[in-house]
Structure formats: C-alpha cells, structure tokens
Amino acid sequence: MRQDVSVTRIIGGLAGGVRLHVPLRGTRPTSERVREAIFSALDARGLCDGANVLDLYAGSGALGLEAASRGAEAVVLVERDRSAAKVAERNAAAVAKAGAVRAVVEPVSVAQFLQRSGRQFDLVFIDPPYDLPPAEIGFVLATLAPLLSHPAVVVVEQSKRSGALDLPGDLVLERARDYGDTTLHYLATAGTTVDG
C-alpha cells in the first residue's frame, strides 16, 4: 500500500470534503482539529475571503489550500522538499478543480522565497518542523515582516515545548492556544485582531 494515500481533507468552503494526499516522510500534517480551530478564528474575522495567502513549510499544503477553499484570492505554498512539493501540486490541482483559486507551489527554501519575493501577503501560515531552532523562526519572522500588508495576520504552529517567539517590532502576539503538544501563536500587524 502506498504511504502517500489521502489521510486528511479540506474542512470547509468550495472544496470542502476534497481529500488531500500527504508526503511519504519529512512532514507533520496539521491535524483536522487544529485546522478547524485556526479557520474558526480566521473565518470569524473574515480573514480568508479575498486574502493573499502564504503557507511556509507547506508540506501537503493543507493550511494554504484550506484558505483557498474559503475564498482566498491568491495562495503560495513554499516547500523545498521536491517530493512534498509534488504532493502539494497534486493537492492544489484537486482544490482548484472544486472551484477554488489555484495555489502556486514554490519548491524552494523559505529563506530563498522570502528574500526574493516582492509580494505582499495578508495571511501567513508558518508550520515549521518542530526541531527547527527558535533563532531560525525568529529570522523567518523578521524577513517576512516587510512582506506583510497592513493589517495582516500570521499563524505560527509550534511544539508546546518551543516557548515564546522572538518577534520583530511590527508584529505583536494577539493570543496563543494549546492543542495537545501543539501551540498556535496568532500574530498581527498593527490594527489587526484575531478573536475566537
């Protein structure tokens, strides 16, 4: 039996119920429970509709593709692992077939993408490997900050053991929530709040 069989699905929106494949190895897909929590908070504020979305360390692309299903205007999935990027491409095609915007997959490192991208983003998901050093996450946030629209929201998913984030000056922690071993950090630029 192939190990990249569908193990998760899009929860809501145009592509609700579409099954997503996951990479063979090297990724840790966000559970449906955690995705439900994220998108409940975002939908309460209408933050997906019309948004320019960036999904860093995308893996299968589930977070960015969920946003696409819920009305995002543009979605970029950044995943440097070639096999995972191919799975994300396959998932992006399935979600687009259901009527959502077609996500663009960038098979490069997060640092490469951020340093060469001139685009602005309203909603960003950062779901790095749990063993990624805190200093690298701090670097990613600092490099991302100039690419954020005002207002913008950044959702960071980490191990509960990872501790506090090192935030650049124009990002503030709105709230943090624990789900088992996972902590979700909701960050915002000035003027943005995430309720829920």
Side-chain angles (χ1 to χ4, degrees):
M1 180 179 195
R2 292 180 57 176
Q3 291 181 315
D4 67 339
V5 295
S6 299
V7 299
T8 192
R9 62 187 173 86
I10 295 293
I11 298 165
L14 290 169
V18 168
R19 293 170 69 84
L20 301 178
H21 291 78
V22 297
L24 285 164
R25 61 191 170 279
T27 64
R28 178 189 36 76
T30 302
S31 73
E32 285 188 24
R33 176 178 175 240
V34 172
R35 271 191 294 133
E36 283 176 3
I38 291 170
F39 285 93
S40 175
L42 297 177
D43 284 348
R45 303 287 299 170
L47 294 175
C48 291
D49 197 31
N52 288 313
V53 177
L54 177 61
D55 186 352
L56 301 176
Y57 308 98
S60 68
L63 290 170
L65 295 175
E66 188 75 45
S69 180
R70 293 169 188 249
E73 183 174 301
V75 177
V76 178
L77 309 175
V78 179
E79 176 53 62
R80 76 173 173 190
D81 181 88
R82 294 286 174 168
S83 62
K86 285 180 183 173
V87 172
E89 280 278 6
R90 185 172 164 192
N91 290 336
V95 170
K97 188 175 180 181
V101 68
R102 173 68 187 250
V104 174
V105 178
E106 293 278 355
V108 297
S109 74
V110 166
Q112 284 176 303
F113 178 82
L114 293 176
Q115 289 168 348
R116 68 174 167 79
S117 177
R119 294 182 60 180
Q120 294 280 297
F121 297 96
D122 311 304
L123 178 58
V124 180
F125 300 103
I126 303 176
D127 183 12
Y130 275 3
D131 59 357
L132 196 73
E136 189 167 337
I137 295 172
F139 169 79
V140 167
L141 290 170
T143 310
L144 171 67
L147 304 179
L148 295 174
S149 302
H150 290 275
V153 171
V154 179
V155 182
V156 181
E157 183 177 340
Q158 285 187 292
S159 166
K160 197 180 339 186
R161 296 182 299 277
S162 297
L165 294 171
D166 182 17
L167 299 179
D170 55 352
L171 276 176
V172 295
L173 176 65
E174 289 288 329
R175 66 187 178 101
R177 293 285 187 271
D178 292 336
Y179 299 88
D181 187 44
T182 298
T183 298
L184 296 177
H185 303 271
Y186 292 87
L187 314 177
T189 53
T192 307
T193 58
V194 182
D195 299 327

